[in-house]
């Protein structure tokens, strides 16, 4: 995909208004921009390096500088937001005892803001690895620092700015895909419509992109990409680091859902080196939940996205390397260390153990033109982005599980009316009772039982009409609906494991522990081999030694967030036991 250097940007109007931070600075300023005490600063000094800057020097640059924390010792830093198009907006001044940075600095990703020295300035630079050590060594100080970093990211997210700028006409299918990817990963961005933004129009006039080259994406460092893939975006933002094929990780975790994130946090906190590979975004399918109300410790509920965001920050605190988007293509088990080959490349990553928490893929109904409308009227999750799209519209939601119920309730606050379709005659056997009661109490949700979509109609711009059949009467009804949300379950994501020979059941879910032993006993008995000579296997270990499976992808698992987190914690003890059993030449 072609890239353009910052020097090739056209002359743009840098005076277009840019809003300030979108959280309440008056009530939370003491948490967002805390001033540390002399005692706090003294603790921090041994974790960093003192540097001097002259008046006007850049200390950090948006999209360019990768660092940990910058603590002001003398002088001050002016912090401003920069969007790659030349627009800047003052955020704050950091005085002595205050620090610069946000969540990205925990992992050394590029800065999302500019920082310039005001007068002669002395700072303490704390690199990411040392910053993580500081957070763990001084828990109270670490709590205040992490809270500030998170709130600063929340401020940027509330503006949808501070990251890349997406340029395309409103409703463009690829624009929605990139917005969804960035939103799911908790990364700020700004979307400009050339019909309403002079800067966006000037950018299109300069590059004159073909239709297939939209959207344009301006990275924070000013580089312009034409219709980039999510991999291009990941590299642009530092979400997809260069991975060393020669390094041998203690654990490679495939999948960053609740199970994978829990395993990463527990493993890294116990000193293991951990790499997490994720195809789309941290949180998995749980992140699409509008509100999880039965997760222990959250009596008022928590959104799936918020839960995933907190878990992700924990992984960064303990030094987990998370690569997004980084789909695994093959698992190779004929050599040791084990190898994970990346999808779309020949790069192979090495690990002493591999944890499969790769979850499931969204199930698609058998509709001839379904893919034509994906991202342009058909969606598999319901985030605030999709909520805005269906403002004051009638929509159809298909599915009868908890995720479908949560999505229906959320979308009912945005849409004019939600038509909920299920194939069964009631929700009783598939949905929690509290959600059923809430749906029944929501006046703009209509439940259509024993019903399904039989046809989608529209054009290149998107979906226009949906035909629904009521099975008992065979009656078909056309709805003038432009948005359909599909929550009809998922299939296990295990096709890529065939080269390794990981044992799966008849539905494709991964067998572990005693289920593996039973399956091998049956196979041996059918071949006249009895009694079988089978090695002892840990409860979450697959048929391949050193390969473990947790979460939704595991056969017999309880498909609940709490159960997934529990398995993620439990697998770490089994990993330690496996590593301890290795010969010294392999350990």
């Amino acid at each position: 995909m072609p890239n353009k250097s910052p020097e090739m940007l056209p002359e743009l109007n840098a005076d277009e208004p840019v809003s300030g931070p979108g959280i309440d600075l008056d009530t939370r300023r003491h948490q967002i921009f805390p001033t540390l005490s002399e005692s706090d600063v003294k603790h921090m000094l041994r974790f960093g390096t003192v540097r001097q800057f002259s008046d006007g020097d850049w200390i950090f640059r948006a999209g360019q500088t990768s660092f940990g924390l910058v603590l002001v010792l003398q002088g001050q830093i002016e912090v401003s937001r920069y969007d790659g198009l030349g627009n800047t907006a003052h955020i704050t001044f950091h005085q002595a005892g205050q620090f610069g940075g946000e969540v990205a600095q925990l992992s050394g990703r590029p800065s999302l803001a500019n920082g310039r020295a005001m007068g002669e300035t002395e700072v303490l630079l704390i690199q990411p690895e040392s910053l993580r050590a500081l957070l763990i060594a001084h828990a109270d100080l670490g709590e205040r620092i992490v809270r500030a970093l998170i709130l600063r990211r929340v401020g940027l997210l509330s503006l949808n700015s501070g990251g890349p700028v997406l340029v395309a006409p409103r409703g463009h299918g690829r624009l929605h895909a990139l917005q969804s990817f960035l939103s799911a990963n908790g990364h700020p961005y700004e979307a400009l419509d050339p019909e309403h933004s002079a800067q966006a129009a000037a950018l299109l006039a300069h590059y004159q992109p073909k239709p297939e080259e939209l959207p344009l994406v301006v990275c924070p460092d000013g580089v312009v990409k034409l219709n980039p893939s999510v991999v291009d975006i990941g590299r642009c933002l530092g979400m997809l680091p260069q991975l060393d094929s020669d390094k041998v990780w203690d654990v490679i975790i495939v999948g960053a859902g609740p199970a994978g994130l829990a395993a990463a946090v527990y493993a890294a906190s116990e000193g293991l080196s951990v790499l997490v590979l994720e195809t789309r975004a941290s949180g998995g399918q749980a992140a699409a939940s509008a509100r999880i109300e039965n997760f222990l410790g959250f009596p008022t509920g928590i959104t799936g996205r918020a839960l995933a965001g907190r878990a992700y920050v924990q992984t960064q605190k303990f030094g987990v390397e998370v690569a997004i988007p980084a789909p695994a293509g093959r698992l190779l088990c004929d050599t040791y260390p084990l190898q994970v080959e990346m999808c779309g490349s020949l790069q192979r990553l090495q690990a002493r153990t591999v944890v499969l928490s790769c979850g499931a893929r969204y199930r698609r109904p058998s509709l001839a033109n379904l893919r034509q409308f994906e991202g342009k009227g058909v969606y598999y999750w319901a985030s605030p982005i999709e909520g805005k799209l269906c403002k004051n519209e009638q929509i159809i939601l298909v599915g009868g599980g908890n995720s479908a119920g949560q999505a229906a309730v959320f979308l009912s606050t945005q849409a004019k009316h939600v038509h909920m379709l299920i194939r069964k005659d009631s929700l009783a056997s598939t949905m929690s009772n509290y959600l059923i009661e809430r749906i029944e109490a929501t006046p703009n949700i209509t439940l259509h039982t024993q019903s399904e979509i039989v046809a989608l109609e529209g054009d290149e711009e998107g979906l226009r009409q949906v035909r629904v059949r009521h099975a008992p009467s065979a009656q078909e009804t056309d709805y003038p609906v432009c948005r359909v949300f599909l929550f009809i379950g998922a299939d296990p994501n295990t096709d890529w494991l065939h080269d390794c020979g990981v044992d799966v059941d008849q539905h494709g879910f991964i067998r572990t522990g005693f289920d593996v032993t039973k399956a091998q006993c049956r196979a041996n008995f059918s071949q006249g081999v009895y009694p079988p000579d089978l090695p002892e296997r840990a409860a979450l270990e697959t048929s391949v030694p050193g390969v473990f499976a947790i979460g939704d992808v595991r056969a017999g698992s309880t498909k609940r967030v709490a159960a997934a987190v529990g398995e993620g914690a439990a697998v770490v003890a089994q990993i330690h036991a496996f590593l301890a059993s290795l010969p010294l030449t392999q350990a």
Side-chain angles (χ1 to χ4, degrees), residues 234-383:
R235 294 208 184 280
C236 157
L237 301 176
M239 297 166 57
L240 185 56
Q242 294 292 338
L243 299 172
D244 185 359
S245 297
D246 295 327
K247 179 173 181 175
V248 179
W249 300 84
D250 291 325
V251 191
I252 289 181
I253 300 172
V254 182
L261 291 173
V265 168
Y266 280 93
S269 68
E270 294 179 12
L272 299 177
S273 60
V274 182
L275 169 65
V276 176
L277 305 175
E278 169 55 43
T279 299
R280 182 175 180 271
S282 60
Q285 292 190 60
S289 296
R291 184 161 297 274
I292 303 171
E293 297 190 58
N294 55 2
F295 190 63
L296 188 67
F298 295 91
T300 60
I302 183 172
T303 67
R305 184 71 262 148
L307 184 65
R310 295 182 183 193
Y312 176 81
V313 172
Q314 281 182 292
T315 67
Q316 301 305 284
K317 174 181 175 180
F318 289 111
V320 176
E321 184 77 83
V322 180
I324 304 174
R330 286 202 302 164
L331 178 60
L332 305 172
C333 309
D334 53 353
T335 61
Y336 193 84
L338 302 164
Q339 295 184 346
V340 178
E341 184 175 284
M342 303 305 296
C343 187
S345 76
L346 297 178
Q347 184 181 23
R348 295 181 178 180
L349 305 173
Q350 303 181 76
R352 295 181 177 88
T353 61
V354 172
V355 175
L356 304 174
S357 60
C358 39
R361 292 174 295 213
Y362 294 109
R363 193 172 293 155
R364 291 175 165 86
S366 299
L367 296 170
N369 55 353
L370 177 66
R371 291 189 182 275
Q372 174 187 345
F373 300 116
E374 289 180 334
K376 295 192 294 183
V378 174
Y379 311 97
Y380 297 92
W381 51 84
S383 74

Side-chain angles (χ1 to χ4, degrees), residues 158-176:
S158 67
L159 287 169
N160 266 347
S161 67
V165 179
L166 316 181
V167 178
R170 175 180 168 81
H172 192 282
R174 278 288 296 156
L175 175 65
H176 175 268

